[in-house]
Amino acid sequence: EAAVDPELRLRMLSYAAEVTRDTLFNGEELSTSSNLKPYEQKRWHEALKAGQKVPGEQERIDGVLPKLQKNLWFVEFSGALADNPTIGSGGVEELSDYLAAEEYNGKKIGGVVIDYAKLLLERQMCANGEDIQNMRHRLAGFGDAVKKQIAMRFNTPVWIMHQLTGAANMRAPTAPQHHALAAEAKNFADNLWFCFALGTRDGNNNCLIHCSKARRSGTQGHESRLHLDGALSAFRCVDDKYVVSGGAIVLKEHSDKMSKPEKPNRPRPSDIDFNSR
């Protein structure tokens, strides 16, 4: 749904360089090591206290840009290009042909991320005049199509993004999500090696990620607690800080306070002396 420029590119830079999104999206002046901003002074407080030099926003961006420019390649398939509005309507076949052309031109494919499956198929089906009611059938075979036309063809791992149903997104943050709750197709993950379902956020931007499927691995059923640091476009694992307790995601030191209160000891009918006054 989002265009590569500037949305996705700036979000990625925010994550990689640990620079707040507001700074990048608003075109604010970048800090340097000699004039750190308040959020940087707070984030690297211990390093500064120890007398270490902390790079500012400008230095951090300069440090990560060469890596991003070399290793990350955005492909604009959102239909936002005025000179090519039909791009992104060719389905998995279009992605495969694009990658083949890039490989021919000397690029090495180390991994592919598709964001996201339903939207890709929806655009293809609309372009071909196909009944959108067939979406569930197309989604069921999407993983296998990607495996054959991209993963196997280019010998590369592929991550496929998808969405959960509206009902699943209304569940509590502590409810483990499952691939059977995938939008439009309960069998979406049938041909996937792994599937990770991201839960809803609580009031503190914490959520659970649940490995609902793992082929030939002992990780199925495992979950972790994540915190969404929206300012830096990052999810951070907080298993060391948070636990699920009392129907909520809480700090470990508070988990003992979230236990259910003991039921009061009330007399049973057989213990009551009905003759007493």
Side-chain angles (χ1 to χ4, degrees), residues 160-246:
I160 303 170
M161 306 300 176
H162 189 37
Q163 294 188 353
L164 297 174
T165 64
N169 282 309
M170 295 295 290
R171 301 179 76 189
T174 54
Q177 302 284 20
H178 194 273
H179 55 267
L181 299 172
E184 303 289 344
K186 294 182 178 180
N187 55 352
F188 171 74
D190 278 3
N191 299 311
L192 305 182
W193 280 28
F194 295 91
C195 190
F196 300 90
L198 191 64
T200 57
R201 290 180 289 164
D202 66 6
N204 296 315
N205 274 352
N206 295 325
C207 64
L208 301 180
I209 186 168
H210 180 232
C211 181
S212 62
K213 179 176 182 179
R215 184 169 295 175
R216 295 193 298 275
S217 175
T219 58
Q220 183 166 323
H222 288 202
E223 70 178 24
S224 281
R225 284 143 293 280
L226 301 178
H227 174 73
L228 176 60
D229 187 345
L232 298 177
S233 304
F235 272 117
R236 305 191 188 281
C237 181
V238 290
D239 284 345
D240 59 332
K241 297 179 181 179
Y242 287 85
V243 295
V244 176
S245 178

Coordinates of all heavy atoms in Angstrom, one line a residue, residues 160-246:
I160 N 7.1 -14.2 2.9 CA 5.8 -13.7 2.4 C 5.0 -13.1 3.5 O 4.7 -13.7 4.5 CB 5.0 -14.9 1.8 CG1 5.8 -15.6 0.7 CG2 3.6 -14.4 1.2 CD1 5.1 -16.9 0.2
M161 N 4.6 -11.8 3.3 CA 3.7 -11.2 4.3 C 2.3 -11.4 3.9 O 1.9 -11.4 2.7 CB 4.0 -9.7 4.3 CG 5.5 -9.3 4.6 SD 6.1 -9.9 6.2 CE 7.8 -9.5 6.1
H162 N 1.4 -11.5 4.9 CA 0.0 -11.7 4.7 C -0.7 -11.0 5.9 O 0.0 -10.5 6.8 CB -0.4 -13.1 4.5 CG -1.8 -13.3 4.1 ND1 -2.4 -12.5 3.2 CD2 -2.7 -14.3 4.4 CE1 -3.7 -12.9 3.0 NE2 -3.9 -14.0 3.7
Q163 N -2.0 -11.1 5.9 CA -2.8 -10.5 7.0 C -3.7 -11.5 7.6 O -4.1 -12.5 7.0 CB -3.6 -9.3 6.5 CG -2.7 -8.1 6.1 CD -3.5 -6.8 5.8 OE1 -4.8 -6.9 5.8 NE2 -2.9 -5.7 5.6
L164 N -4.1 -11.3 8.9 CA -5.0 -12.1 9.5 C -6.5 -11.6 9.3 O -6.7 -10.5 8.8 CB -4.8 -12.1 11.0 CG -3.4 -12.7 11.5 CD1 -3.2 -12.6 13.0 CD2 -3.3 -14.2 11.1
T165 N -7.4 -12.4 9.6 CA -8.8 -12.0 9.5 C -9.2 -10.8 10.4 O -8.4 -10.5 11.4 CB -9.8 -13.1 9.8 OG1 -9.6 -13.5 11.2 CG2 -9.5 -14.4 9.0
G166 N -10.2 -10.1 10.1 CA -10.7 -9.0 10.9 C -11.0 -9.5 12.4 O -10.7 -8.8 13.3
A167 N -11.6 -10.7 12.5 CA -11.9 -11.2 13.8 C -10.6 -11.5 14.6 O -10.6 -11.3 15.8 CB -12.7 -12.5 13.7
A168 N -9.6 -12.0 13.9 CA -8.3 -12.3 14.6 C -7.7 -11.1 15.1 O -7.1 -11.0 16.2 CB -7.4 -13.1 13.7
N169 N -7.8 -10.0 14.4 CA -7.2 -8.7 14.8 C -8.0 -8.0 15.9 O -7.6 -7.0 16.4 CB -7.1 -7.8 13.6 CG -6.0 -8.1 12.7 OD1 -4.9 -8.2 13.2 ND2 -6.2 -8.2 11.4
M170 N -9.1 -8.6 16.3 CA -9.9 -8.1 17.4 C -9.6 -8.9 18.7 O -10.1 -8.6 19.8 CB -11.4 -8.2 17.1 CG -11.9 -7.3 16.0 SD -11.7 -5.6 16.4 CE -13.0 -5.4 17.6
R171 N -8.7 -9.9 18.6 CA -8.4 -10.8 19.8 C -7.5 -10.0 20.7 O -6.9 -9.0 20.4 CB -7.8 -12.1 19.3 CG -8.6 -12.9 18.4 CD -7.9 -14.1 18.0 NE -7.9 -15.1 19.0 CZ -7.1 -16.3 19.0 NH1 -6.3 -16.5 17.9 NH2 -7.2 -17.2 19.9
A172 N -7.5 -10.5 22.0 CA -6.7 -9.9 23.0 C -5.2 -10.0 22.7 O -4.8 -11.0 22.0 CB -7.0 -10.5 24.4
P173 N -4.4 -9.1 23.1 CA -2.9 -9.1 22.9 C -2.3 -10.4 23.4 O -1.2 -10.8 22.8 CB -2.4 -7.9 23.6 CG -3.5 -7.0 23.6 CD -4.7 -7.8 23.8
T174 N -2.8 -11.1 24.4 CA -2.2 -12.3 24.9 C -2.7 -13.5 24.2 O -2.2 -14.6 24.5 CB -2.5 -12.4 26.4 OG1 -3.9 -12.3 26.6 CG2 -1.8 -11.3 27.2
A175 N -3.6 -13.4 23.3 CA -4.1 -14.6 22.5 C -3.1 -14.9 21.4 O -2.8 -14.1 20.6 CB -5.5 -14.3 21.9
P176 N -2.6 -16.2 21.5 CA -1.6 -16.6 20.4 C -2.3 -16.7 19.1 O -3.4 -17.4 19.0 CB -1.1 -17.9 20.9 CG -2.1 -18.4 21.8 CD -2.7 -17.2 22.5
Q177 N -1.9 -16.0 18.0 CA -2.5 -16.1 16.7 C -2.0 -17.3 16.0 O -0.9 -17.9 16.3 CB -2.2 -14.8 15.9 CG -2.6 -13.5 16.6 CD -4.1 -13.3 16.5 OE1 -4.9 -14.2 16.2 NE2 -4.5 -12.1 16.7
H178 N -2.7 -17.7 14.9 CA -2.4 -18.9 14.2 C -2.6 -18.7 12.7 O -3.4 -17.9 12.3 CB -3.3 -20.1 14.7 CG -2.9 -21.4 14.3 ND1 -3.2 -22.0 13.2 CD2 -2.1 -22.3 15.0 CE1 -2.7 -23.2 13.1 NE2 -2.0 -23.4 14.2
H179 N -1.8 -19.5 11.9 CA -1.9 -19.3 10.5 C -3.3 -19.7 9.9 O -3.7 -19.3 8.8 CB -0.8 -20.1 9.8 CG -0.8 -21.6 10.1 ND1 0.0 -22.1 11.1 CD2 -1.4 -22.6 9.6 CE1 -0.2 -23.4 11.2 NE2 -1.0 -23.8 10.2
A180 N -4.0 -20.5 10.7 CA -5.4 -20.9 10.3 C -6.3 -19.7 10.3 O -7.4 -19.8 9.7 CB -5.9 -22.0 11.1
L181 N -5.9 -18.6 10.9 CA -6.7 -17.4 10.9 C -6.3 -16.4 9.8 O -6.6 -15.2 9.9 CB -6.5 -16.7 12.3 CG -6.9 -17.5 13.5 CD1 -6.5 -16.8 14.8 CD2 -8.4 -17.7 13.5
A182 N -5.5 -16.9 8.8 CA -5.1 -16.0 7.7 C -6.4 -15.5 7.0 O -7.3 -16.3 6.8 CB -4.2 -16.8 6.8
A183 N -6.3 -14.3 6.5 CA -7.5 -13.7 5.8 C -7.7 -14.5 4.5 O -6.8 -14.8 3.8 CB -7.2 -12.2 5.5
E184 N -9.0 -14.7 4.3 CA -9.5 -15.3 3.0 C -9.1 -16.8 2.8 O -9.8 -17.5 2.1 CB -8.9 -14.6 1.8 CG -9.3 -13.1 1.8 CD -10.7 -12.8 1.5 OE1 -11.4 -13.7 1.0 OE2 -11.2 -11.7 1.8
A185 N -8.1 -17.3 3.5 CA -7.7 -18.7 3.3 C -7.1 -19.3 4.5 O -6.0 -19.0 4.9 CB -6.7 -18.8 2.1
K186 N -7.8 -20.3 5.2 CA -7.3 -20.9 6.4 C -6.1 -21.8 6.1 O -5.3 -22.1 6.9 CB -8.4 -21.8 7.0 CG -9.5 -21.0 7.6 CD -10.5 -21.9 8.3 CE -11.7 -21.1 8.9 NZ -12.7 -22.0 9.5
N187 N -6.0 -22.2 4.8 CA -4.9 -23.1 4.4 C -3.8 -22.4 3.7 O -3.0 -22.9 3.0 CB -5.4 -24.2 3.5 CG -6.1 -23.7 2.3 OD1 -6.4 -22.5 2.2 ND2 -6.5 -24.6 1.4
F188 N -3.7 -21.1 4.0 CA -2.6 -20.2 3.3 C -1.2 -20.8 3.6 O -0.4 -20.7 2.7 CB -2.7 -18.8 3.8 CG -1.6 -17.9 3.4 CD1 -1.5 -17.5 2.1 CD2 -0.6 -17.6 4.3 CE1 -0.4 -16.7 1.7 CE2 0.5 -16.8 4.0 CZ 0.6 -16.3 2.6
A189 N -1.0 -21.3 4.8 CA 0.4 -21.7 5.2 C 0.7 -23.2 4.9 O 1.7 -23.7 5.3 CB 0.6 -21.5 6.7
D190 N -0.2 -23.9 4.2 CA 0.0 -25.3 3.9 C 1.3 -25.6 3.3 O 1.9 -26.7 3.6 CB -1.2 -25.8 3.0 CG -2.4 -26.2 3.8 OD1 -2.4 -25.9 5.0 OD2 -3.4 -26.6 3.2
N191 N 1.8 -24.8 2.4 CA 3.0 -25.1 1.6 C 4.2 -24.3 2.1 O 5.2 -24.2 1.4 CB 2.8 -24.8 0.1 CG 1.7 -25.7 -0.4 OD1 1.7 -26.9 -0.2 ND2 0.7 -25.2 -1.1
L192 N 4.1 -23.7 3.3 CA 5.2 -22.9 3.8 C 6.0 -23.7 4.8 O 5.5 -24.6 5.5 CB 4.6 -21.6 4.5 CG 3.7 -20.7 3.7 CD1 3.3 -19.5 4.6 CD2 4.4 -20.2 2.4
W193 N 7.3 -23.4 4.9 CA 8.1 -24.2 5.8 C 8.0 -23.6 7.2 O 8.0 -24.4 8.2 CB 9.6 -24.0 5.4 CG 10.0 -25.0 4.3 CD1 9.1 -25.5 3.3 CD2 11.3 -25.5 4.0 NE1 9.8 -26.3 2.5 CE2 11.1 -26.4 2.9 CE3 12.5 -25.4 4.6 CZ2 12.2 -27.1 2.4 CZ3 13.6 -26.1 4.1 CH2 13.4 -26.9 3.0
F194 N 7.8 -22.3 7.3 CA 7.6 -21.7 8.6 C 6.4 -20.7 8.5 O 6.2 -20.1 7.4 CB 8.8 -20.9 9.1 CG 10.0 -21.8 9.4 CD1 10.9 -22.1 8.4 CD2 10.2 -22.4 10.7 CE1 12.0 -22.9 8.7 CE2 11.3 -23.2 10.9 CZ 12.2 -23.5 9.9
C195 N 5.8 -20.4 9.6 CA 4.8 -19.4 9.7 C 4.8 -18.7 11.0 O 4.8 -19.4 12.1 CB 3.4 -19.9 9.4 SG 2.2 -18.5 9.1
F196 N 4.9 -17.4 11.1 CA 5.0 -16.7 12.3 C 3.8 -15.7 12.3 O 3.6 -14.9 11.4 CB 6.3 -15.9 12.4 CG 7.5 -16.8 12.4 CD1 8.2 -17.1 11.3 CD2 8.0 -17.3 13.6 CE1 9.3 -17.9 11.2 CE2 9.1 -18.1 13.6 CZ 9.8 -18.4 12.4
A197 N 3.0 -15.8 13.3 CA 1.7 -15.0 13.4 C 2.0 -13.9 14.5 O 2.3 -14.2 15.6 CB 0.6 -15.9 13.8
L198 N 1.8 -12.7 14.1 CA 2.0 -11.5 14.9 C 0.6 -11.1 15.6 O -0.4 -11.0 14.9 CB 2.5 -10.4 14.1 CG 3.0 -9.1 14.9 CD1 4.2 -9.5 15.8 CD2 3.4 -8.0 13.9
G199 N 0.6 -11.0 16.9 CA -0.6 -10.7 17.6 C -0.9 -9.2 17.6 O -0.1 -8.4 17.1
T200 N -2.0 -8.8 18.3 CA -2.4 -7.5 18.4 C -1.5 -6.8 19.5 O -1.0 -7.4 20.4 CB -3.9 -7.3 18.7 OG1 -4.1 -8.1 19.9 CG2 -4.7 -7.9 17.6
R201 N -1.5 -5.5 19.4 CA -0.7 -4.7 20.4 C -1.5 -4.3 21.7 O -2.7 -4.1 21.5 CB -0.2 -3.4 19.8 CG 0.9 -3.6 18.8 CD 1.3 -2.2 18.2 NE 0.3 -1.7 17.4 CZ 0.3 -0.4 17.0 NH1 1.2 0.5 17.5 NH2 -0.7 0.1 16.2
D202 N -0.9 -4.3 22.8 CA -1.5 -3.8 24.0 C -1.3 -2.3 24.1 O -0.7 -1.7 23.2 CB -1.1 -4.5 25.2 CG 0.4 -4.3 25.6 OD1 1.0 -3.4 25.0 OD2 0.9 -4.9 26.5
G203 N -1.7 -1.7 25.2 CA -1.6 -0.2 25.4 C -0.2 0.3 25.5 O 0.1 1.5 25.3
N204 N 0.8 -0.7 25.7 CA 2.2 -0.3 25.8 C 3.0 -0.6 24.6 O 4.2 -0.7 24.6 CB 2.8 -0.9 27.0 CG 2.2 -0.5 28.3 OD1 2.0 0.7 28.5 ND2 1.9 -1.4 29.2
N205 N 2.3 -0.9 23.5 CA 2.9 -1.3 22.2 C 3.7 -2.6 22.3 O 4.6 -2.9 21.6 CB 3.8 -0.2 21.7 CG 3.1 0.8 20.8 OD1 1.9 0.6 20.5 ND2 3.7 1.9 20.5
N206 N 3.2 -3.5 23.2 CA 3.8 -4.9 23.3 C 2.9 -5.9 22.6 O 1.7 -5.7 22.6 CB 4.0 -5.3 24.8 CG 5.0 -4.4 25.5 OD1 6.0 -4.0 24.9 ND2 4.8 -4.1 26.7
C207 N 3.4 -6.9 22.1 CA 2.6 -7.9 21.4 C 3.4 -9.3 21.4 O 4.5 -9.3 21.8 CB 2.3 -7.5 20.0 SG 3.7 -7.4 18.9
L208 N 2.7 -10.3 21.0 CA 3.3 -11.6 20.9 C 3.5 -12.0 19.5 O 2.7 -11.7 18.6 CB 2.4 -12.7 21.6 CG 2.0 -12.5 23.1 CD1 1.1 -13.7 23.5 CD2 3.3 -12.4 23.9
I209 N 4.6 -12.8 19.2 CA 4.8 -13.4 17.9 C 4.9 -14.9 18.2 O 5.6 -15.3 19.0 CB 6.0 -12.8 17.2 CG1 6.1 -13.4 15.8 CG2 7.3 -13.1 17.9 CD1 7.1 -12.8 14.9
H210 N 4.1 -15.6 17.4 CA 3.9 -17.0 17.7 C 4.3 -17.9 16.4 O 3.8 -17.6 15.3 CB 2.4 -17.3 18.0 CG 2.1 -18.7 18.3 ND1 1.0 -19.4 17.7 CD2 2.6 -19.6 19.1 CE1 1.0 -20.6 18.1 NE2 1.9 -20.8 19.0
C211 N 5.2 -18.8 16.6 CA 5.6 -19.7 15.5 C 4.5 -20.8 15.4 O 4.5 -21.8 16.2 CB 6.9 -20.3 15.8 SG 7.5 -21.4 14.5
S212 N 3.5 -20.6 14.6 CA 2.4 -21.5 14.5 C 2.7 -22.7 13.5 O 1.9 -23.7 13.5 CB 1.2 -20.8 14.0 OG 1.4 -20.3 12.7
K213 N 3.8 -22.6 12.8 CA 4.2 -23.8 11.9 C 5.7 -23.8 11.7 O 6.3 -22.7 11.4 CB 3.5 -23.7 10.5 CG 3.8 -24.8 9.6 CD 3.1 -24.8 8.3 CE 3.5 -26.0 7.5 NZ 2.8 -26.0 6.2
A214 N 6.3 -25.0 11.8 CA 7.7 -25.1 11.6 C 7.9 -26.5 11.1 O 7.7 -27.5 11.8 CB 8.5 -24.9 12.9
R215 N 8.4 -26.6 9.8 CA 8.6 -27.9 9.2 C 10.0 -28.4 9.6 O 11.0 -27.8 9.4 CB 8.4 -27.8 7.7 CG 8.6 -29.1 7.0 CD 8.1 -29.0 5.5 NE 6.7 -28.6 5.4 CZ 6.1 -28.3 4.3 NH1 6.8 -28.3 3.1 NH2 4.8 -28.1 4.3
R216 N 10.0 -29.7 10.1 CA 11.3 -30.3 10.5 C 12.1 -29.5 11.4 O 13.2 -29.2 11.3 CB 12.1 -30.7 9.2 CG 11.5 -31.7 8.3 CD 12.5 -32.2 7.3 NE 13.0 -31.2 6.4 CZ 12.4 -30.8 5.3 NH1 11.2 -31.3 5.0 NH2 12.9 -29.8 4.6
S217 N 11.4 -28.9 12.5 CA 12.0 -28.1 13.4 C 11.3 -28.2 14.8 O 10.1 -28.6 14.8 CB 12.1 -26.7 13.0 OG 12.6 -25.8 14.0
G218 N 12.0 -27.9 15.8 CA 11.4 -28.0 17.2 C 10.9 -26.7 17.7 O 10.6 -26.6 18.9
T219 N 10.7 -25.7 16.8 CA 10.3 -24.4 17.3 C 8.8 -24.2 17.2 O 8.4 -23.1 17.6 CB 11.0 -23.3 16.4 OG1 10.7 -23.5 15.0 CG2 12.5 -23.4 16.6
Q220 N 8.1 -25.1 16.6 CA 6.6 -24.9 16.5 C 6.0 -24.7 17.8 O 6.3 -25.4 18.8 CB 6.0 -26.0 15.7 CG 4.5 -25.8 15.5 CD 3.9 -26.8 14.5 OE1 4.6 -27.1 13.5 NE2 2.7 -27.2 14.7
G221 N 5.1 -23.7 17.9 CA 4.5 -23.4 19.2 C 5.2 -22.4 20.1 O 4.6 -22.0 21.1
H222 N 6.4 -22.1 19.8 CA 7.2 -21.2 20.6 C 6.7 -19.7 20.3 O 6.2 -19.4 19.2 CB 8.7 -21.2 20.3 CG 9.3 -22.5 20.8 ND1 10.6 -22.6 21.0 CD2 8.8 -23.7 21.1 CE1 10.9 -23.8 21.5 NE2 9.8 -24.5 21.6
E223 N 6.8 -18.9 21.3 CA 6.4 -17.5 21.2 C 7.4 -16.6 21.9 O 8.1 -17.0 22.7 CB 5.0 -17.3 21.7 CG 4.9 -17.3 23.2 CD 3.5 -17.1 23.7 OE1 2.5 -17.2 22.9 OE2 3.3 -16.7 24.9
S224 N 7.4 -15.3 21.4 CA 8.2 -14.3 22.1 C 7.4 -13.1 22.2 O 6.4 -12.8 21.6 CB 9.5 -14.0 21.2 OG 10.5 -15.0 21.4
R225 N 7.9 -12.2 23.1 CA 7.3 -10.9 23.4 C 8.0 -9.9 22.6 O 9.3 -9.8 22.7 CB 7.2 -10.7 24.9 CG 6.1 -11.5 25.6 CD 6.6 -11.9 27.0 NE 7.6 -12.9 26.9 CZ 7.4 -14.2 26.7 NH1 6.2 -14.6 26.4 NH2 8.5 -15.1 26.6
L226 N 7.3 -9.0 21.9 CA 7.9 -7.9 21.2 C 7.4 -6.6 21.6 O 6.3 -6.5 22.1 CB 7.6 -8.1 19.7 CG 8.1 -9.4 19.0 CD1 7.6 -9.3 17.5 CD2 9.6 -9.6 19.1
H227 N 8.3 -5.6 21.5 CA 7.9 -4.2 21.7 C 8.1 -3.4 20.4 O 9.1 -3.5 19.8 CB 8.7 -3.6 22.8 CG 8.4 -2.1 23.0 ND1 7.2 -1.7 23.6 CD2 9.1 -1.0 22.7 CE1 7.2 -0.3 23.6 NE2 8.3 0.1 23.1
L228 N 7.0 -2.7 20.0 CA 7.1 -1.9 18.8 C 7.6 -0.5 19.2 O 6.9 0.3 19.8 CB 5.7 -1.8 18.1 CG 5.7 -0.9 16.9 CD1 6.6 -1.3 15.8 CD2 4.2 -0.8 16.4
D229 N 8.8 -0.2 18.8 CA 9.4 1.1 19.0 C 9.1 1.9 17.7 O 9.9 1.9 16.8 CB 10.9 1.0 19.2 CG 11.6 2.3 19.6 OD1 10.9 3.3 19.4 OD2 12.7 2.3 20.0
G230 N 7.9 2.5 17.7 CA 7.4 3.2 16.5 C 8.3 4.3 16.0 O 8.5 4.6 14.8
A231 N 9.0 5.0 17.0 CA 9.8 6.2 16.6 C 11.0 5.7 15.8 O 11.5 6.5 14.9 CB 10.3 6.9 17.9
L232 N 11.5 4.5 16.0 CA 12.6 4.0 15.2 C 12.3 2.9 14.3 O 13.1 2.1 13.8 CB 13.7 3.5 16.2 CG 14.3 4.6 17.1 CD1 15.3 4.0 18.1 CD2 14.9 5.7 16.3
S233 N 11.0 2.7 14.0 CA 10.5 1.7 13.0 C 11.0 0.3 13.4 O 11.4 -0.4 12.5 CB 10.9 2.1 11.6 OG 10.4 3.4 11.3
A234 N 11.0 -0.1 14.6 CA 11.7 -1.3 15.0 C 10.8 -2.1 16.0 O 10.2 -1.6 16.9 CB 13.0 -1.0 15.6
F235 N 10.8 -3.5 15.8 CA 10.3 -4.4 16.8 C 11.6 -4.8 17.6 O 12.6 -5.2 17.0 CB 9.7 -5.6 16.1 CG 8.2 -5.5 15.9 CD1 7.8 -5.5 14.6 CD2 7.3 -5.3 16.9 CE1 6.4 -5.4 14.3 CE2 6.0 -5.1 16.6 CZ 5.5 -5.2 15.3
R236 N 11.4 -4.9 18.9 CA 12.5 -5.4 19.7 C 12.0 -6.5 20.6 O 10.9 -6.4 21.2 CB 13.1 -4.2 20.6 CG 13.5 -3.0 19.7 CD 14.3 -2.0 20.6 NE 14.5 -0.8 19.8 CZ 15.4 -0.7 18.8 NH1 16.2 -1.7 18.5 NH2 15.5 0.5 18.2
C237 N 12.8 -7.6 20.7 CA 12.4 -8.7 21.6 C 12.6 -8.3 23.0 O 13.7 -7.8 23.4 CB 13.3 -9.9 21.3 SG 12.9 -11.4 22.3
V238 N 11.6 -8.5 23.8 CA 11.6 -8.1 25.3 C 11.3 -9.3 26.1 O 10.7 -9.2 27.2 CB 10.7 -6.9 25.5 CG1 11.2 -5.7 24.9 CG2 9.3 -7.2 25.1
D239 N 11.7 -10.5 25.7 CA 11.5 -11.7 26.5 C 12.2 -11.6 27.9 O 11.8 -12.2 28.9 CB 12.1 -12.9 25.8 CG 11.2 -13.4 24.7 OD1 10.0 -13.0 24.7 OD2 11.6 -14.2 23.8
D240 N 13.3 -10.8 27.9 CA 14.0 -10.7 29.2 C 13.4 -9.7 30.2 O 13.7 -9.6 31.3 CB 15.5 -10.2 28.9 CG 15.5 -8.9 28.2 OD1 14.6 -8.6 27.4 OD2 16.5 -8.1 28.4
K241 N 12.4 -9.0 29.7 CA 11.7 -8.0 30.5 C 10.3 -8.2 30.8 O 9.7 -7.9 31.9 CB 11.8 -6.6 29.9 CG 13.3 -6.1 29.7 CD 13.3 -4.7 29.0 CE 14.7 -4.2 28.8 NZ 14.7 -2.9 28.1
Y242 N 9.6 -8.9 29.8 CA 8.1 -9.0 30.0 C 7.7 -10.5 30.0 O 8.4 -11.4 29.4 CB 7.4 -8.3 28.8 CG 7.4 -6.8 28.9 CD1 8.5 -6.1 28.4 CD2 6.3 -6.1 29.5 CE1 8.5 -4.7 28.5 CE2 6.3 -4.7 29.6 CZ 7.4 -4.0 29.1 OH 7.4 -2.7 29.2
V243 N 6.6 -10.8 30.6 CA 6.0 -12.1 30.6 C 4.5 -11.9 30.4 O 3.9 -10.8 30.6 CB 6.2 -12.9 31.9 CG1 7.7 -13.2 32.1 CG2 5.7 -12.1 33.1
V244 N 3.8 -13.0 30.1 CA 2.3 -13.0 30.1 C 1.8 -13.5 31.4 O 2.1 -14.6 31.8 CB 1.8 -13.9 28.9 CG1 0.3 -14.0 28.9 CG2 2.3 -13.4 27.6
S245 N 1.1 -12.7 32.1 CA 0.6 -13.0 33.4 C -0.7 -12.3 33.7 O -0.9 -11.1 33.3 CB 1.6 -12.6 34.5 OG 1.2 -12.9 35.8
G246 N -1.6 -13.0 34.3 CA -2.9 -12.4 34.6 C -3.7 -11.8 33.4 O -4.3 -10.8 33.6

